[in-house]
Amino acid sequence: MAQNIYDDPDFFAGYSQLPRQMQGLDGAPEWPAIRALLPDVTRKSVADLGCGFGWASRWFRENGAAAVLGLDLSRNMIDRARAATDDAAIEYRIANLDTLDLPEAAFDLVYSALTFHYVQDFERLMRAIHRALSPGGNLVFTIEHPIFMAASHPHWVEDEDGRKTWPVNGYSMEGERRTDWFAEGVLKHHRTLATTVNTLLGEGFALRRIEEFAPTPDQIKAMPGLAEEMERPMMLMISAFKN
């Protein structure tokens, strides 16, 4: 059973105060890089997996998508998304991605932001998504970078020169990782970069592009705190399509 941490009151209260939740896509520094990976969605059918507050679902409709299905495990998320949306072409549902079953060839784009690292059976999910995409359909998703989440105690440390360093240990030991983030024991599932890519290829996807997000100089100038993101990749971004 997937951990529904977003319905934990303490976690949700803290999470709701993040800039990316209060400001929407404008509060996510990686959004311009994600947008560059997205195909034209005009008259397309889109599934938004781990839709959260519905920011991306609404963006897809604003940019011409014919219909959007937003799925999330958390009732808190779905309730917030529904409250913020006035569009009959967007449907929100509670769904567990570990047991996801979608109609065959029903979507032109499947999108997901920072959700798949909560999924235990990544191979099963990729198989379900591949089946749900129309021929040539696109998959665009972001996850926490394997370098970011591999360590048993991920946090900044200082090296001998006083420079911020992110520990990487247990990288090849895939499986559960538990961290304290707004609540104790948040469960994620670490996979190496090779496993992530090879799973996609094994399930019939072809890769368009892989990005390891880093802020631009202009972003760092506007938000100096982003400079630390140059020290290690926090986010992996993948664009693929159904072969």
Side-chain angles (χ1 to χ4, degrees):
M1 180 66 181
Q3 182 193 50
N4 188 3
I5 193 65
Y6 287 84
D7 280 349
D8 176 280
D10 292 335
F11 183 97
F12 190 72
Y15 178 83
S16 297
Q17 298 305 307
L18 290 174
R20 66 182 61 237
Q21 301 311 327
M22 299 184 71
Q23 302 170 26
L25 300 177
D26 290 339
E30 73 277 9
W31 176 243
I34 294 173
R35 200 169 58 232
L37 296 178
L38 290 170
D40 181 6
V41 296
T42 304
R43 295 186 294 278
K44 303 298 185 182
S45 178
V46 180
D48 182 2
L49 307 186
C51 63
F53 289 6
W55 295 108
S57 294
R58 292 187 290 276
W59 184 91
F60 289 127
R61 277 287 291 149
E62 290 163 3
N63 284 270
V68 180
L69 174 64
L71 302 178
D72 205 289
L73 179 62
S74 164
R75 178 169 294 279
N76 281 342
M77 294 291 201
I78 292 297
D79 287 348
R80 185 71 69 89
R82 286 172 175 164
T85 302
D86 183 16
D87 187 339
I90 302 177
E91 179 185 1
Y92 296 111
R93 296 184 203 159
I94 295 174
N96 183 349
L97 297 190
D98 273 312
T99 58
L100 184 67
D101 185 20
L102 293 170
E104 185 173 358
F107 300 98
D108 304 299
L109 168 65
V110 172
Y111 170 79
S112 182
L114 296 176
T115 299
F116 290 170
H117 48 260
Y118 294 114
V119 173
Q120 182 175 12
D121 194 340
F122 185 64
E123 183 176 348
R124 182 198 180 280
L125 177 61
M126 292 304 102
R127 188 177 308 123
I129 291 173
H130 189 273
R131 179 179 178 274
L133 282 169
S134 59
N138 291 276
L139 168 63
V140 176
F141 69 93
T142 69
I143 56 173
E144 288 188 359
H145 198 290
I147 286 176
F148 176 81
M149 66 181 301
S152 54
H153 300 289
H155 62 276
W156 291 111
V157 296
E158 286 191 0
D159 66 13
E160 292 82 356
D161 298 321
R163 181 172 181 171
K164 277 188 172 182
T165 300
W166 194 263
V168 178
N169 50 57
Y171 182 82
S172 295
M173 299 167 62
E174 299 183 323
E176 291 188 3
R177 297 292 190 275
R178 290 187 181 270
T179 59
D180 296 339
W181 183 53
F182 298 128
E184 295 183 357
V186 177
L187 175 61
K188 301 173 185 177
H189 298 277
H190 166 65
R191 288 172 285 270
T192 66
L193 178 59
T195 292
T196 301
V197 171
N198 288 331
T199 299
L200 287 166
L201 297 175
E203 294 305 325
F205 285 98
L207 297 176
R208 291 194 192 278
R209 195 164 183 86
I210 296 177
E211 298 285 356
E212 298 169 293
F213 173 71
T216 66
D218 285 344
Q219 286 179 316
I220 293 173
K221 184 177 180 180
M223 298 179 62
L226 288 176
E228 67 182 21
E229 299 301 326
M230 301 297 289
E231 299 294 339
R232 53 91 180 96
M234 180 267 183
M235 195 177 304
L236 181 66
M237 310 166 71
I238 294 180
S239 172
F241 66 96
K242 181 175 180 174
N243 242 339

